[in-house]
Amino acid sequence: MGNVLIVVEANSDGSLRKATLNAIAAGQKLAAATGGQVHAIALAKNASALADAVKEYGVTVHAASGAHLEHPVAENWAPAIAATAQSISAEWVGAAATAIGRDVMPRVAAKLKAVMASDILGVEGSGADVSLTRPMWAGAVVATVKLSGSVKCFTARTTEFEAVAKAGGGEVKQIQPAPPAQALSKFVGFKEVKSARPALTEAKIVVSGGRGTKGDFKPIEGLADELGAAVGASRAVCDAGWQPNDLQVGQTGKVVAPSLYIAAGISGAIQHVAGMKGSKTIVAVNKDPDAPIFQIADYGLVADLFKALPELQAAVKAAK
Ligand SMILES: Cc1cc2nc3c(=O)[nH]c(=O)nc-3n(C[C@H](O)[C@H](O)[C@H](O)COP(=O)(O)OP(=O)(O)OC[C@H]3O[C@@H](n4cnc5c(N)ncnc54)[C@H](O)[C@@H]3O)c2cc1C
């Protein structure tokens, strides 16, 4: 029976992080394909409130509380996750492909002597023939992989699995987590970038700027604020120090799939496209008519962003 265990993530205020609901959706697909049930594990100093929040989505939540679980330190979380996976005879153990999921899941896989597929995009087939799709070479190729062994681990790309809705039937089980690991690494601090704008990975609209901005993000930010959007950037911008790294969209940055993605002064390199091509509508503003971004854009404007974006901003304001 293909039971699935999903690792729960919390925001810095302790509330349930939406990415977990996408990971549960991936877990539901696997459970449906292999005839199992979806469980979740919430780890925190006191995991009760977080577990209660996850229970609302119709899954059995294992609440693991302990001072050593307060922060997502992989060395401390992995033993508790692996032990819980064994206790429910999980065939699949996974998390959202966030910074935390990417950090903790390989260690869980090693503890369980399991194979692992990272960044999965979908689930195909059923029973013993279940396979997973995942991107390779910056998303230029989508591979279909079949994992062997009795336990398999994964991280799921949040943009590819629609968040589950609330459902009945959930329950919380308190569990005794494994004791703290030998302190090979320890939590030092967490500095969150506070912004009045929506979070990049959760925003419905993203306005991103590239090297074409020459570091002047006023037109990007002006349009973003008029639209209530998040601000993104290409790696060229972040590498130049014009914008912080946490705004980077792409293969080595964040993967976003908003309803509307506006790329201004971005050429459309494959590594950038890997992080935003799942967007529902893509608008490109670039003064080079041959820029590759136009190949994937739904709407393209060959224009100088310093002229076009303020005009767009004024038009949005007038339309409100
Ligand atoms: C392993 C690896 C990983 C990478 N990961 C990422 C990643 O995660 N994210 C990412 O973005 N990149 C990534 N890159 C870098 C990527 O290859 C490109 O170098 C980068 O995306 C280019 O950024 P850009 O489009 O802003 O700059 P450029 O390629 O220099 O393009 C600038 C564009 O702006 C246009 N322009 C200039 N002035 C104006 C103006 N006034 N108005 C309108 N348009 C204008 C130009 O016509 C041009 O098309 C990675 C590369 C490697 C090798």
Side-chain angles (χ1 to χ4, degrees):
M1 196 174 65
N3 280 341
V4 183
L5 180 66
I6 298 294
V7 179
V8 173
E9 274 184 53
N11 295 308
S12 57
D13 63 359
S15 61
L16 175 61
R17 194 170 170 194
K18 184 181 160 277
T20 300
L21 304 181
N22 304 105
I24 291 174
Q28 284 183 342
K29 285 202 169 176
L30 283 163
T34 53
Q37 295 201 323
V38 180
H39 295 240
I41 176 167
L43 308 104
K45 190 172 180 185
N46 181 350
S48 295
L50 184 59
D52 281 344
V54 182
K55 182 186 79 169
E56 300 288 307
Y57 295 87
V59 296
T60 302
V61 195
H62 302 262
S65 301
H68 65 297
L69 302 175
E70 181 174 7
H71 304 292
V73 176
E75 285 83 348
N76 289 342
W77 275 28
I81 297 165
T84 306
Q86 284 168 332
S87 76
I88 61 162
S89 304
E91 182 180 349
W92 303 93
V93 187
T98 55
I100 291 171
R102 287 180 176 139
D103 185 31
V104 79
M105 284 315 301
R107 193 169 280 269
V108 173
K111 289 234 167 280
L112 293 169
K113 298 194 176 7
V115 285
M116 173 159 168
S118 54
D119 235 6
I120 67 164
L121 308 175
V123 176
E124 293 177 354
S126 62
D129 285 326
V130 165
S131 52
L132 308 171
T133 50
R134 62 178 302 272
M136 294 172 71
W137 296 305
V141 174
V142 174
T144 303
V145 294
K146 199 170 161 190
L147 305 186
S148 54
S150 54
V151 191
K152 299 130 185 143
C153 293
F154 65 94
T155 54
R157 189 174 279 195
T158 53
T159 53
E160 301 297 316
F161 298 93
E162 196 160 329
V164 288
K166 289 193 174 175
E171 63 169 322
V172 173
K173 290 183 176 174
Q174 301 291 337
I175 58 167
Q176 196 61 45
Q182 292 297 315
L184 294 174
S185 63
K186 67 172 182 175
F187 176 84
V188 176
F190 177 69
K191 285 189 188 152
E192 189 172 29
V193 180
K194 296 273 183 206
S195 169
R197 299 192 181 101
L200 186 52
T201 49
E202 283 164 27
K204 289 194 171 63
I205 306 176
V206 174
V207 184
S208 279
R211 200 180 340 238
T213 61
K214 297 184 179 65
D216 178 1
F217 256 52
K218 281 194 207 78
I220 307 288
E221 291 168 348
L223 180 58
D225 290 343
E226 201 61 57
L227 290 166
V231 167
S234 71
R235 179 162 163 178
V237 164
C238 299
D239 282 356
W242 294 340
Q243 290 293 322
N245 286 323
D246 62 317
L247 293 193
Q248 185 183 318
V249 172
Q251 182 192 348
T252 42
K254 289 183 175 148
V255 178
V256 300
S259 303
L260 174 62
Y261 187 89
I262 301 176
I266 293 179
S267 60
I270 185 172
Q271 296 90 354
H272 184 82
V273 170
M276 45 64 82
K277 70 177 175 193
S279 307
K280 292 200 177 52
T281 302
I282 297 171
V283 174
V285 180
N286 196 305
K287 64 181 185 184
D288 175 6
D290 296 324
I293 192 79
F294 288 127
Q295 290 166 17
I296 57 144
D298 299 290
Y299 299 94
L301 187 59
V302 180
D304 185 329
L305 72 90
F306 291 100
K307 188 168 180 295
L309 263 52
E311 285 174 4
L312 276 171
Q313 185 185 335
V316 172
K317 192 173 182 181
K320 274 183 183 171

